[in-house]
Every structure is written in structure tokens, then in C-alpha cells.
């Protein structure tokens, strides 16, 4: 198994850092935090970092100095970490300077933590380090690896292991009617009560959690997953 991607949070405001770290760790990443400049020096010098998020608690000059010394272009190398710098809205010149120095992204505060996590995920994917397995439905996005449902409203819910197995079964058999026996064999329930109407209950709970109409009941036959258009060949 590949080592987990490593994200460093440097002088990021505590409330943002805590929420962002929780978000990233649930997706299988290793998050390391440095609150003071001297901690940042030690952390970045140790290497092995994929993405660095620099908060606006540091001055923009200090953030650019870290970028210059440890970023992907430092010393002519392209193997250093990608940097995301958080800046204040009025700091247009600082934003331009950071981008010219090779920052992968610059975001303004106040910011949306979920959006910032998505930007980190995008950089990890570009580095071949992404661990997400995303399924986009009508009203929610599902990250199968972290078993997380992210609703359009911004709320999140956790899928159980049995629900992940059931969803994977449907995803592997689009537009195919699956009988109750198919489901019991391929995605057994998490307890002994796995027959007949308990299957109906599992489907109802999964539909409700995903807020989706893509799983259809075929009376007298079973269930069918009708993928959204983005699944079409």
C-alpha cells in the first residue's frame, strides 16, 4: 500500500486548521501542523511533504520566503511540495508575487474549509497522490474511500461499511436488476438479519442518506441502479 499523502499546515488559524485537519485525515491523509515559524522550518526541512498550506497568521513576506526555500521550484528542483498561501483580500500584489514565485494556489480569507480541502485534493491528484474515489449523484458527492457523503447543503454524513459495500455493488452493475439473493451474496448485511424485507430497509436507508433517486425498486424482481448522465459511456 502506498504511503499516505502528507499535508503541512503552517500558521493556519486554529479553528480553520482543526476543521481542515479533520476533513483531510478522514480521507486518509497525514496532517502535520506547525504553529510557529521555527516549527515550520523544522517540519519542511525534514522533507516528505506533498502540500503545504500557509496561513495568514504569517506575514506574506514570511510565507513567500518559505515558498522560495522549500517549494517545488526551490533550488531548481521540481520535487518539493506544492504551496497554497492564504492571503487577505486586499493583498493583490502579495498574491501575484506568490504565484510568480511558484505557489500552486493562493486563496483569500475568510475561506470555506471544504473548498480549501478540495483544492488540496486537486493538487494531490496532480501529484498522483490522490486517495479519493468520488461518485457524483444528483444532490450529493460520495467519497467511497473515506465513506463520506457530502451534500450540496454543505452537511456531511458517514456511510457504514455495509452501505459502502451495497453502493459499490450497484456501481459495478449499472442498469442491471439485482435480486435480493444477488445483494445478500455480494453485499451481506452487517448483522444476521439479511433476508427479504431487511433488504428493503437497507435500500431505503441508503437512498435517504445519498438523497438519490438513482436506485429504483423493480417490483417482484429486485433493484436497479440508473446512473446519472456523467456515468454514461
Amino acid at each position: 500500500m502506498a504511503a499516505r499523502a502528507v499535508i503541512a499546515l503552517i500558521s493556519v488559524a486554529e479553528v480553520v486548521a482543526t476543521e481542515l485537519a479533520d476533513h483531510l485525515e478522514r480521507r486518509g491523509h497525514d496532517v502535520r501542523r506547525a504553529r510557529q515559524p521555527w516549527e515550520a522550518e523544522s517540519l519542511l526541512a525534514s522533507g516528505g511533504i506533498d502540500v503545504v498550506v500557509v496561513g495568514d497568521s504569517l506575514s506574506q513576506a514570511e510565507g513567500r520566503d518559505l515558498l522560495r526555500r522549500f517549494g517545488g521550484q526551490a533550488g531548481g528542483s521540481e520535487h518539493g511540495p506544492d504551496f497554497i498561501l492564504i492571503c487577505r483580500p486586499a493583498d493583490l500584489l502579495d498574491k501575484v508575487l506568490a504565484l510568480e514565485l511558484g505557489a500552486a494556489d493562493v486563496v483569500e480569507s475568510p475561506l470555506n474549509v471544504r473548498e480549501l480541502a478540495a483544492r488540496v485534493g486537486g493538487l494531490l491528484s496532480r501529484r498522483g497522490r490522490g486517495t479519493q474515489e468520488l461518485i457524483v449523484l444528483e444532490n450529493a458527492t460520495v467519497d467511497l474511500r473515506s465513506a463520506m457523503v457530502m451534500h450540496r447543503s454543505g452537511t456531511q454524513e458517514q456511510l457504514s461499511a455495509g452501505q459502502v459495500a451495497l453502493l459499490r455493488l450497484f456501481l459495478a452493475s449499472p442498469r442491471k436488476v439485482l435480486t435480493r439473493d444477488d445483494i445478500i451474496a455480494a453485499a451481506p448485511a452487517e448483522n444476521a438479519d439479511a433476508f427479504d424485507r431487511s433488504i428493503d430497509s437497507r435500500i431505503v436507508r441508503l437512498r435517504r442518506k445519498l438523497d438519490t433517486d438513482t436506485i429504483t425498486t423493480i417490483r417482484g424482481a429486485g433493484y436497479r441502479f440508473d446512473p446519472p448522465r456523467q456515468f454514461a459511456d
Side-chain angles (χ1 to χ4, degrees):
M1 180 181 295
R4 297 196 298 170
V6 180
I7 298 95
L9 307 184
I10 308 296
S11 298
V12 177
E14 189 68 23
V15 64
V16 174
T18 298
E19 186 178 348
L20 181 60
D22 178 65
H23 193 98
L24 294 170
E25 286 168 350
R26 281 185 289 163
R27 283 153 181 78
H29 305 312
D30 181 2
V31 179
R32 302 176 188 177
R33 297 169 63 176
R35 294 169 175 80
Q36 303 297 328
W38 66 267
E39 292 178 303
E41 294 274 345
S42 176
L43 175 58
L44 296 180
S46 68
I49 308 295
D50 292 291
V51 176
V52 179
V53 180
V54 180
D56 57 10
S57 297
L58 277 185
S59 71
Q60 292 300 306
E62 289 174 311
R64 290 196 302 271
D65 182 58
L66 290 176
L67 170 62
R68 187 182 296 108
R69 293 165 54 209
F70 298 104
Q73 303 303 318
S77 169
E78 295 184 357
H79 302 294
D82 287 316
F83 271 67
I84 298 177
L85 272 64
I86 300 172
C87 72
R88 296 178 176 85
D91 295 337
L92 178 60
L93 178 59
D94 288 317
K95 179 186 293 189
V96 172
L97 287 172
L99 291 170
E100 288 179 342
L101 283 171
D105 205 349
V106 180
V107 297
E108 294 183 354
S109 59
L111 50 82
N112 180 286
V113 171
R114 184 170 165 184
E115 177 187 349
L116 180 55
R119 289 173 184 264
V120 172
L123 292 177
L124 290 174
S125 294
R126 279 167 41 188
R127 296 171 70 92
R129 302 283 279 152
T131 61
Q132 291 182 319
E133 199 175 338
L134 298 179
I135 305 301
V136 181
L137 300 173
E138 316 97 297
N139 301 306
T141 300
V142 185
D143 183 347
L144 284 173
R145 291 203 180 187
S146 64
M148 187 69 61
V149 182
M150 297 161 281
H151 294 282
R152 289 186 183 274
S153 64
T155 61
Q156 298 184 5
E157 292 186 83
Q158 196 79 35
L159 293 173
S160 69
Q163 287 173 329
V164 171
L166 184 54
L167 179 55
R168 285 189 182 278
L169 175 61
F170 281 120
L171 292 170
S173 307
R175 306 178 191 86
K176 176 183 176 181
V177 177
L178 299 175
T179 67
R180 287 184 171 83
D181 287 341
D182 291 331
I183 293 172
I184 292 170
E190 295 164 278
N191 55 53
D193 185 21
F195 298 97
D196 296 328
R197 292 301 172 186
S198 68
I199 299 295
D200 294 338
S201 299
R202 291 179 65 196
I203 299 296
V204 167
R205 288 193 294 270
L206 181 62
R207 280 197 197 113
R208 184 180 299 126
K209 189 167 284 191
L210 299 178
D211 191 14
T212 185
D213 294 321
T214 57
I215 302 172
T216 305
T217 300
I218 308 300
R219 188 175 296 277
Y223 306 90
R224 186 183 66 221
F225 173 61
D226 296 309
R229 277 180 293 178
Q230 66 266 25
F231 283 81
D233 296 331

